[in-house]
Amino acid sequence: MSEDALRRNFGKAHALHVDALTRHLVECRRTCGGDLDLFLVLMIIGERTFTPRKAPSAMSHAEFVERSVDTLEPAAINLQSIADYSGIPRETVRRKIEALVARGWVRRDERRFVTVTDQAKDDLLGLTESAIRYLREIEAALAASQLD
C-alpha cells in the first residue's frame, strides 16, 4: 500500500490496527501476570535473540516453533542497553530480567548478555498465535483500505 493510499484511508486502517493491537496487548499482559514492562523487556531481548536482519526469510511457522533458539546467532544486549533503549529505569529492568531468568525465559552469559530460551518460546506459543491473529487482521485491514 502506498503512503498516499494509507493517508487517504487512515481512519479505518488506524481503527482496525488499534483494535487488533489492543487485543494482542491484552493477551501479552495476561501472559505476563499483568506486567507490560516485563513483556516489553522480554520482547527487546527476544528481538535481539531473533533479529530481523538474521531471521531466515523462508522460515515457516512450524520451523519457528520447532527450531531451538540455541541455533540462532543473537545480537548482544545487556541490562543497560535495554534501559537506554526502552526508557525503563535501569533498576526496573534489572528486576524484570531477574523475574524472566526465574521463569526460565531468559538466560545470561558470562559477559552478562541476555538471550531468550527455548522454554520462553515453548511457554509463549499462545502469544505466537496471538501475533499471527494480529498480523492477519492488519493484513486484512490494509487490503480493505486499498479498495477505496
Side-chain angles (χ1 to χ4, degrees), residues 58-101:
M59 180 182 273
S60 70
H61 175 262
E63 291 167 323
F64 176 84
V65 169
E66 293 168 9
R67 186 173 183 173
S68 172
V69 298
D70 293 335
T71 65
L72 304 172
E73 185 182 335
I77 194 161
N78 62 20
L79 187 155
Q80 188 62 53
S81 298
I82 295 167
D84 291 346
Y85 178 66
S86 67
I88 299 171
R90 187 178 191 284
E91 178 57 24
T92 301
V93 171
R94 185 195 66 73
R95 287 192 310 271
K96 302 305 177 190
I97 290 173
E98 291 302 321
L100 292 166
V101 168

mmCIF file of all heavy atoms in Angstrom, residues 58-101:
data_model
loop_
_atom_site.group_PDB
_atom_site.id
_atom_site.type_symbol
_atom_site.label_atom_id
_atom_site.label_comp_id
_atom_site.label_asym_id
_atom_site.label_seq_id
_atom_site.Cartn_x
_atom_site.Cartn_y
_atom_site.Cartn_z
ATOM 1 N N ALA A 58 12.736 -17.623 4.668
ATOM 2 C CA ALA A 58 11.751 -18.640 4.302
ATOM 3 C C ALA A 58 11.364 -19.540 5.476
ATOM 4 O O ALA A 58 10.917 -20.651 5.271
ATOM 5 C CB ALA A 58 12.297 -19.482 3.157
ATOM 6 N N MET A 59 11.513 -19.079 6.698
ATOM 7 C CA MET A 59 11.190 -19.911 7.861
ATOM 8 C C MET A 59 9.671 -19.973 8.045
ATOM 9 O O MET A 59 9.003 -18.953 8.184
ATOM 10 C CB MET A 59 11.828 -19.346 9.130
ATOM 11 C CG MET A 59 11.516 -20.184 10.366
ATOM 12 S SD MET A 59 12.223 -19.495 11.872
ATOM 13 C CE MET A 59 13.831 -20.238 11.830
ATOM 14 N N SER A 60 9.147 -21.176 8.045
ATOM 15 C CA SER A 60 7.717 -21.354 8.257
ATOM 16 C C SER A 60 7.390 -21.252 9.754
ATOM 17 O O SER A 60 8.287 -21.291 10.596
ATOM 18 C CB SER A 60 7.279 -22.733 7.742
ATOM 19 O OG SER A 60 7.797 -23.748 8.597
ATOM 20 N N HIS A 61 6.101 -21.171 10.031
ATOM 21 C CA HIS A 61 5.654 -21.168 11.424
ATOM 22 C C HIS A 61 6.089 -22.455 12.120
ATOM 23 O O HIS A 61 6.584 -22.436 13.242
ATOM 24 C CB HIS A 61 4.136 -20.995 11.494
ATOM 25 C CG HIS A 61 3.580 -21.092 12.873
ATOM 26 N ND1 HIS A 61 3.024 -22.261 13.355
ATOM 27 C CD2 HIS A 61 3.524 -20.197 13.880
ATOM 28 C CE1 HIS A 61 2.638 -22.067 14.597
ATOM 29 N NE2 HIS A 61 2.929 -20.829 14.947
ATOM 30 N N ALA A 62 5.924 -23.583 11.450
ATOM 31 C CA ALA A 62 6.318 -24.870 12.036
ATOM 32 C C ALA A 62 7.813 -24.900 12.332
ATOM 33 O O ALA A 62 8.237 -25.369 13.399
ATOM 34 C CB ALA A 62 5.945 -26.013 11.099
ATOM 35 N N GLU A 63 8.618 -24.383 11.425
ATOM 36 C CA GLU A 63 10.067 -24.335 11.660
ATOM 37 C C GLU A 63 10.402 -23.411 12.831
ATOM 38 O O GLU A 63 11.285 -23.716 13.634
ATOM 39 C CB GLU A 63 10.801 -23.872 10.405
ATOM 40 C CG GLU A 63 10.765 -24.877 9.279
ATOM 41 C CD GLU A 63 11.224 -24.289 7.953
ATOM 42 O OE1 GLU A 63 10.919 -23.110 7.669
ATOM 43 O OE2 GLU A 63 11.866 -25.027 7.201
ATOM 44 N N PHE A 64 9.690 -22.298 12.918
ATOM 45 C CA PHE A 64 9.906 -21.367 14.024
ATOM 46 C C PHE A 64 9.624 -22.059 15.355
ATOM 47 O O PHE A 64 10.387 -21.946 16.306
ATOM 48 C CB PHE A 64 9.002 -20.137 13.865
ATOM 49 C CG PHE A 64 9.091 -19.164 15.004
ATOM 50 C CD1 PHE A 64 10.086 -18.203 15.034
ATOM 51 C CD2 PHE A 64 8.176 -19.207 16.047
ATOM 52 C CE1 PHE A 64 10.179 -17.304 16.092
ATOM 53 C CE2 PHE A 64 8.255 -18.317 17.103
ATOM 54 C CZ PHE A 64 9.258 -17.361 17.129
ATOM 55 N N VAL A 65 8.525 -22.792 15.414
ATOM 56 C CA VAL A 65 8.126 -23.463 16.648
ATOM 57 C C VAL A 65 9.104 -24.588 16.994
ATOM 58 O O VAL A 65 9.440 -24.783 18.159
ATOM 59 C CB VAL A 65 6.676 -23.998 16.516
ATOM 60 C CG1 VAL A 65 6.323 -24.926 17.657
ATOM 61 C CG2 VAL A 65 5.694 -22.830 16.431
ATOM 62 N N GLU A 66 9.582 -25.300 15.991
ATOM 63 C CA GLU A 66 10.435 -26.469 16.242
ATOM 64 C C GLU A 66 11.906 -26.132 16.433
ATOM 65 O O GLU A 66 12.627 -26.860 17.109
ATOM 66 C CB GLU A 66 10.293 -27.457 15.077
ATOM 67 C CG GLU A 66 8.915 -28.077 15.007
ATOM 68 C CD GLU A 66 8.672 -28.820 13.701
ATOM 69 O OE1 GLU A 66 9.622 -29.003 12.915
ATOM 70 O OE2 GLU A 66 7.512 -29.193 13.468
ATOM 71 N N ARG A 67 12.370 -25.046 15.881
ATOM 72 C CA ARG A 67 13.799 -24.714 15.914
ATOM 73 C C ARG A 67 14.222 -24.221 17.288
ATOM 74 O O ARG A 67 13.552 -23.412 17.916
ATOM 75 C CB ARG A 67 14.084 -23.641 14.873
ATOM 76 C CG ARG A 67 15.543 -23.325 14.704
ATOM 77 C CD ARG A 67 15.738 -22.381 13.550
ATOM 78 N NE ARG A 67 17.142 -22.121 13.342
ATOM 79 C CZ ARG A 67 17.610 -21.445 12.317
ATOM 80 N NH1 ARG A 67 16.782 -20.974 11.417
ATOM 81 N NH2 ARG A 67 18.901 -21.243 12.193
ATOM 82 N N SER A 68 15.369 -24.656 17.743
ATOM 83 C CA SER A 68 15.901 -24.203 19.027
ATOM 84 C C SER A 68 16.485 -22.803 18.884
ATOM 85 O O SER A 68 17.161 -22.505 17.886
ATOM 86 C CB SER A 68 16.999 -25.156 19.510
ATOM 87 O OG SER A 68 17.643 -24.622 20.653
ATOM 88 N N VAL A 69 16.252 -21.965 19.869
ATOM 89 C CA VAL A 69 16.863 -20.633 19.845
ATOM 90 C C VAL A 69 18.375 -20.730 19.941
ATOM 91 O O VAL A 69 19.089 -19.797 19.568
ATOM 92 C CB VAL A 69 16.300 -19.700 20.938
ATOM 93 C CG1 VAL A 69 14.825 -19.454 20.745
ATOM 94 C CG2 VAL A 69 16.595 -20.217 22.319
ATOM 95 N N ASP A 70 18.878 -21.861 20.405
ATOM 96 C CA ASP A 70 20.322 -22.052 20.503
ATOM 97 C C ASP A 70 20.997 -22.126 19.139
ATOM 98 O O ASP A 70 22.219 -22.015 19.045
ATOM 99 C CB ASP A 70 20.641 -23.312 21.309
ATOM 100 C CG ASP A 70 20.245 -23.177 22.769
ATOM 101 O OD1 ASP A 70 20.180 -22.034 23.281
ATOM 102 O OD2 ASP A 70 19.981 -24.214 23.408
ATOM 103 N N THR A 71 20.206 -22.320 18.071
ATOM 104 C CA THR A 71 20.781 -22.370 16.726
ATOM 105 C C THR A 71 20.910 -20.973 16.110
ATOM 106 O O THR A 71 21.447 -20.833 15.021
ATOM 107 C CB THR A 71 19.929 -23.239 15.784
ATOM 108 O OG1 THR A 71 18.645 -22.620 15.612
ATOM 109 C CG2 THR A 71 19.777 -24.657 16.319
ATOM 110 N N LEU A 72 20.430 -19.968 16.813
ATOM 111 C CA LEU A 72 20.456 -18.598 16.302
ATOM 112 C C LEU A 72 21.741 -17.897 16.717
ATOM 113 O O LEU A 72 22.376 -18.266 17.700
ATOM 114 C CB LEU A 72 19.256 -17.820 16.842
ATOM 115 C CG LEU A 72 17.894 -18.424 16.553
ATOM 116 C CD1 LEU A 72 16.815 -17.676 17.307
ATOM 117 C CD2 LEU A 72 17.611 -18.411 15.055
ATOM 118 N N GLU A 73 22.081 -16.875 15.972
ATOM 119 C CA GLU A 73 23.229 -16.041 16.322
ATOM 120 C C GLU A 73 22.687 -14.714 16.873
ATOM 121 O O GLU A 73 22.390 -13.789 16.115
ATOM 122 C CB GLU A 73 24.084 -15.797 15.081
ATOM 123 C CG GLU A 73 25.353 -15.058 15.363
ATOM 124 C CD GLU A 73 26.140 -14.806 14.088
ATOM 125 O OE1 GLU A 73 25.982 -15.567 13.113
ATOM 126 O OE2 GLU A 73 26.897 -13.831 14.079
ATOM 127 N N PRO A 74 22.529 -14.621 18.199
ATOM 128 C CA PRO A 74 21.912 -13.417 18.767
ATOM 129 C C PRO A 74 22.836 -12.203 18.697
ATOM 130 O O PRO A 74 24.059 -12.336 18.662
ATOM 131 C CB PRO A 74 21.655 -13.815 20.220
ATOM 132 C CG PRO A 74 22.671 -14.861 20.518
ATOM 133 C CD PRO A 74 22.910 -15.587 19.224
ATOM 134 N N ALA A 75 22.220 -11.050 18.669
ATOM 135 C CA ALA A 75 22.956 -9.799 18.819
ATOM 136 C C ALA A 75 23.073 -9.531 20.320
ATOM 137 O O ALA A 75 22.159 -9.826 21.077
ATOM 138 C CB ALA A 75 22.216 -8.661 18.123
ATOM 139 N N ALA A 76 24.191 -8.981 20.724
ATOM 140 C CA ALA A 76 24.437 -8.748 22.149
ATOM 141 C C ALA A 76 23.525 -7.655 22.697
ATOM 142 O O ALA A 76 23.293 -6.628 22.055
ATOM 143 C CB ALA A 76 25.893 -8.347 22.358
ATOM 144 N N ILE A 77 22.992 -7.920 23.886
ATOM 145 C CA ILE A 77 22.231 -6.893 24.606
ATOM 146 C C ILE A 77 22.365 -7.173 26.094
ATOM 147 O O ILE A 77 22.404 -8.322 26.526
ATOM 148 C CB ILE A 77 20.750 -6.825 24.167
ATOM 149 C CG1 ILE A 77 20.119 -5.538 24.696
ATOM 150 C CG2 ILE A 77 19.978 -8.060 24.588
ATOM 151 C CD1 ILE A 77 18.850 -5.123 24.000
ATOM 152 N N ASN A 78 22.466 -6.098 26.856
ATOM 153 C CA ASN A 78 22.579 -6.235 28.307
ATOM 154 C C ASN A 78 21.588 -5.303 28.990
ATOM 155 O O ASN A 78 20.845 -4.569 28.334
ATOM 156 C CB ASN A 78 24.018 -5.975 28.769
ATOM 157 C CG ASN A 78 24.486 -4.560 28.452
ATOM 158 O OD1 ASN A 78 23.687 -3.661 28.234
ATOM 159 N ND2 ASN A 78 25.787 -4.369 28.397
ATOM 160 N N LEU A 79 21.594 -5.360 30.296
ATOM 161 C CA LEU A 79 20.657 -4.589 31.112
ATOM 162 C C LEU A 79 20.675 -3.105 30.751
ATOM 163 O O LEU A 79 19.632 -2.493 30.525
ATOM 164 C CB LEU A 79 21.035 -4.807 32.582
ATOM 165 C CG LEU A 79 20.137 -4.246 33.664
ATOM 166 C CD1 LEU A 79 20.320 -5.063 34.927
ATOM 167 C CD2 LEU A 79 20.399 -2.799 33.928
ATOM 168 N N GLN A 80 21.859 -2.507 30.691
ATOM 169 C CA GLN A 80 21.961 -1.069 30.425
ATOM 170 C C GLN A 80 21.419 -0.725 29.045
ATOM 171 O O GLN A 80 20.727 0.280 28.875
ATOM 172 C CB GLN A 80 23.404 -0.591 30.562
ATOM 173 C CG GLN A 80 23.529 0.927 30.493
ATOM 174 C CD GLN A 80 22.796 1.619 31.620
ATOM 175 O OE1 GLN A 80 22.996 1.322 32.788
ATOM 176 N NE2 GLN A 80 21.920 2.558 31.288
ATOM 177 N N SER A 81 21.713 -1.552 28.054
ATOM 178 C CA SER A 81 21.211 -1.297 26.701
ATOM 179 C C SER A 81 19.688 -1.347 26.652
ATOM 180 O O SER A 81 19.056 -0.548 25.965
ATOM 181 C CB SER A 81 21.779 -2.325 25.720
ATOM 182 O OG SER A 81 23.174 -2.224 25.656
ATOM 183 N N ILE A 82 19.106 -2.279 27.395
ATOM 184 C CA ILE A 82 17.644 -2.386 27.449
ATOM 185 C C ILE A 82 17.059 -1.138 28.099
ATOM 186 O O ILE A 82 16.087 -0.566 27.608
ATOM 187 C CB ILE A 82 17.211 -3.655 28.198
ATOM 188 C CG1 ILE A 82 17.664 -4.902 27.419
ATOM 189 C CG2 ILE A 82 15.695 -3.674 28.416
ATOM 190 C CD1 ILE A 82 17.565 -6.190 28.204
ATOM 191 N N ALA A 83 17.656 -0.701 29.198
ATOM 192 C CA ALA A 83 17.183 0.507 29.886
ATOM 193 C C ALA A 83 17.293 1.726 28.974
ATOM 194 O O ALA A 83 16.351 2.523 28.872
ATOM 195 C CB ALA A 83 17.966 0.717 31.179
ATOM 196 N N ASP A 84 18.430 1.872 28.306
ATOM 197 C CA ASP A 84 18.628 3.023 27.410
ATOM 198 C C ASP A 84 17.626 3.004 26.263
ATOM 199 O O ASP A 84 17.037 4.032 25.926
ATOM 200 C CB ASP A 84 20.047 3.015 26.841
ATOM 201 C CG ASP A 84 21.122 3.299 27.879
ATOM 202 O OD1 ASP A 84 20.794 3.773 28.993
ATOM 203 O OD2 ASP A 84 22.305 3.030 27.578
ATOM 204 N N TYR A 85 17.418 1.860 25.657
ATOM 205 C CA TYR A 85 16.530 1.742 24.511
ATOM 206 C C TYR A 85 15.067 1.948 24.891
ATOM 207 O O TYR A 85 14.328 2.652 24.201
ATOM 208 C CB TYR A 85 16.723 0.363 23.868
ATOM 209 C CG TYR A 85 15.828 0.083 22.698
ATOM 210 C CD1 TYR A 85 15.938 0.807 21.513
ATOM 211 C CD2 TYR A 85 14.869 -0.927 22.760
ATOM 212 C CE1 TYR A 85 15.125 0.542 20.436
ATOM 213 C CE2 TYR A 85 14.055 -1.193 21.679
ATOM 214 C CZ TYR A 85 14.179 -0.466 20.521
ATOM 215 O OH TYR A 85 13.359 -0.729 19.459
ATOM 216 N N SER A 86 14.658 1.352 26.003
ATOM 217 C CA SER A 86 13.238 1.353 26.366
ATOM 218 C C SER A 86 12.801 2.564 27.175
ATOM 219 O O SER A 86 11.619 2.877 27.220
ATOM 220 C CB SER A 86 12.909 0.096 27.177
ATOM 221 O OG SER A 86 13.575 0.153 28.432
ATOM 222 N N GLY A 87 13.756 3.208 27.848
ATOM 223 C CA GLY A 87 13.387 4.291 28.763
ATOM 224 C C GLY A 87 12.906 3.787 30.115
ATOM 225 O O GLY A 87 12.501 4.566 30.968
ATOM 226 N N ILE A 88 12.930 2.480 30.318
ATOM 227 C CA ILE A 88 12.568 1.896 31.609
ATOM 228 C C ILE A 88 13.772 2.065 32.530
ATOM 229 O O ILE A 88 14.902 1.797 32.117
ATOM 230 C CB ILE A 88 12.205 0.396 31.468
ATOM 231 C CG1 ILE A 88 11.009 0.222 30.531
ATOM 232 C CG2 ILE A 88 11.920 -0.225 32.837
ATOM 233 C CD1 ILE A 88 10.718 -1.234 30.172
ATOM 234 N N PRO A 89 13.562 2.514 33.767
ATOM 235 C CA PRO A 89 14.703 2.704 34.671
ATOM 236 C C PRO A 89 15.547 1.429 34.806
ATOM 237 O O PRO A 89 15.022 0.309 34.809
ATOM 238 C CB PRO A 89 14.045 3.071 35.999
ATOM 239 C CG PRO A 89 12.722 3.656 35.619
ATOM 240 C CD PRO A 89 12.291 2.894 34.389
ATOM 241 N N ARG A 90 16.855 1.621 34.926
ATOM 242 C CA ARG A 90 17.807 0.513 34.983
ATOM 243 C C ARG A 90 17.446 -0.491 36.076
ATOM 244 O O ARG A 90 17.492 -1.707 35.864
ATOM 245 C CB ARG A 90 19.215 1.069 35.205
ATOM 246 C CG ARG A 90 20.298 0.040 35.112
ATOM 247 C CD ARG A 90 21.687 0.692 35.301
ATOM 248 N NE ARG A 90 22.742 -0.230 34.970
ATOM 249 C CZ ARG A 90 23.132 -1.230 35.740
ATOM 250 N NH1 ARG A 90 22.539 -1.443 36.898
ATOM 251 N NH2 ARG A 90 24.113 -2.026 35.371
ATOM 252 N N GLU A 91 17.083 -0.016 37.247
ATOM 253 C CA GLU A 91 16.760 -0.915 38.361
ATOM 254 C C GLU A 91 15.507 -1.727 38.052
ATOM 255 O O GLU A 91 15.414 -2.908 38.388
ATOM 256 C CB GLU A 91 16.585 -0.134 39.665
ATOM 257 C CG GLU A 91 16.199 -0.971 40.866
ATOM 258 C CD GLU A 91 17.176 -2.111 41.187
ATOM 259 O OE1 GLU A 91 18.360 -2.047 40.811
ATOM 260 O OE2 GLU A 91 16.734 -3.102 41.815
ATOM 261 N N THR A 92 14.553 -1.125 37.389
ATOM 262 C CA THR A 92 13.343 -1.853 36.985
ATOM 263 C C THR A 92 13.704 -2.934 35.968
ATOM 264 O O THR A 92 13.227 -4.074 36.077
ATOM 265 C CB THR A 92 12.300 -0.885 36.400
ATOM 266 O OG1 THR A 92 11.982 0.101 37.385
ATOM 267 C CG2 THR A 92 11.039 -1.607 35.970
ATOM 268 N N VAL A 93 14.551 -2.593 35.003
ATOM 269 C CA VAL A 93 14.984 -3.585 34.016
ATOM 270 C C VAL A 93 15.704 -4.731 34.728
ATOM 271 O O VAL A 93 15.485 -5.904 34.406
ATOM 272 C CB VAL A 93 15.885 -2.950 32.933
ATOM 273 C CG1 VAL A 93 16.506 -4.023 32.039
ATOM 274 C CG2 VAL A 93 15.098 -1.947 32.095
ATOM 275 N N ARG A 94 16.539 -4.420 35.702
ATOM 276 C CA ARG A 94 17.252 -5.463 36.444
ATOM 277 C C ARG A 94 16.268 -6.430 37.092
ATOM 278 O O ARG A 94 16.412 -7.652 36.981
ATOM 279 C CB ARG A 94 18.168 -4.852 37.511
ATOM 280 C CG ARG A 94 19.038 -5.904 38.225
ATOM 281 C CD ARG A 94 19.670 -5.369 39.492
ATOM 282 N NE ARG A 94 18.686 -5.061 40.510
ATOM 283 C CZ ARG A 94 18.015 -5.967 41.228
ATOM 284 N NH1 ARG A 94 18.202 -7.258 41.039
ATOM 285 N NH2 ARG A 94 17.138 -5.590 42.137
ATOM 286 N N ARG A 95 15.237 -5.874 37.744
ATOM 287 C CA ARG A 95 14.227 -6.724 38.387
ATOM 288 C C ARG A 95 13.456 -7.552 37.368
ATOM 289 O O ARG A 95 13.157 -8.723 37.601
ATOM 290 C CB ARG A 95 13.263 -5.879 39.222
ATOM 291 C CG ARG A 95 13.857 -5.338 40.503
ATOM 292 C CD ARG A 95 12.807 -4.763 41.444
ATOM 293 N NE ARG A 95 11.895 -3.833 40.820
ATOM 294 C CZ ARG A 95 12.084 -2.522 40.711
ATOM 295 N NH1 ARG A 95 13.173 -1.963 41.208
ATOM 296 N NH2 ARG A 95 11.187 -1.760 40.141
ATOM 297 N N LYS A 96 13.138 -6.961 36.227
ATOM 298 C CA LYS A 96 12.405 -7.695 35.181
ATOM 299 C C LYS A 96 13.265 -8.838 34.634
ATOM 300 O O LYS A 96 12.764 -9.951 34.420
ATOM 301 C CB LYS A 96 11.964 -6.773 34.033
ATOM 302 C CG LYS A 96 11.087 -5.613 34.449
ATOM 303 C CD LYS A 96 9.867 -6.030 35.209
ATOM 304 C CE LYS A 96 9.082 -4.811 35.659
ATOM 305 N NZ LYS A 96 8.021 -5.145 36.593
ATOM 306 N N ILE A 97 14.555 -8.582 34.418
ATOM 307 C CA ILE A 97 15.441 -9.645 33.942
ATOM 308 C C ILE A 97 15.523 -10.758 34.973
ATOM 309 O O ILE A 97 15.460 -11.943 34.616
ATOM 310 C CB ILE A 97 16.838 -9.089 33.586
ATOM 311 C CG1 ILE A 97 16.738 -8.228 32.325
ATOM 312 C CG2 ILE A 97 17.847 -10.225 33.404
ATOM 313 C CD1 ILE A 97 18.019 -7.496 31.963
ATOM 314 N N GLU A 98 15.623 -10.396 36.259
ATOM 315 C CA GLU A 98 15.647 -11.426 37.308
ATOM 316 C C GLU A 98 14.376 -12.267 37.273
ATOM 317 O O GLU A 98 14.430 -13.490 37.409
ATOM 318 C CB GLU A 98 15.826 -10.785 38.690
ATOM 319 C CG GLU A 98 17.192 -10.175 38.923
ATOM 320 C CD GLU A 98 18.334 -11.161 38.764
ATOM 321 O OE1 GLU A 98 18.196 -12.334 39.179
ATOM 322 O OE2 GLU A 98 19.361 -10.756 38.196
ATOM 323 N N ALA A 99 13.236 -11.625 37.081
ATOM 324 C CA ALA A 99 11.965 -12.354 37.010
ATOM 325 C C ALA A 99 11.929 -13.259 35.780
ATOM 326 O O ALA A 99 11.436 -14.399 35.849
ATOM 327 C CB ALA A 99 10.793 -11.376 36.988
ATOM 328 N N LEU A 100 12.452 -12.788 34.676
ATOM 329 C CA LEU A 100 12.476 -13.592 33.448
ATOM 330 C C LEU A 100 13.431 -14.778 33.579
ATOM 331 O O LEU A 100 13.126 -15.876 33.104
ATOM 332 C CB LEU A 100 12.857 -12.715 32.248
ATOM 333 C CG LEU A 100 11.804 -11.672 31.863
ATOM 334 C CD1 LEU A 100 12.393 -10.643 30.905
ATOM 335 C CD2 LEU A 100 10.569 -12.334 31.263
ATOM 336 N N VAL A 101 14.567 -14.566 34.236
ATOM 337 C CA VAL A 101 15.502 -15.663 34.498
ATOM 338 C C VAL A 101 14.829 -16.697 35.405
ATOM 339 O O VAL A 101 14.908 -17.904 35.158
ATOM 340 C CB VAL A 101 16.822 -15.135 35.109
ATOM 341 C CG1 VAL A 101 17.673 -16.270 35.664
ATOM 342 C CG2 VAL A 101 17.606 -14.332 34.070
#
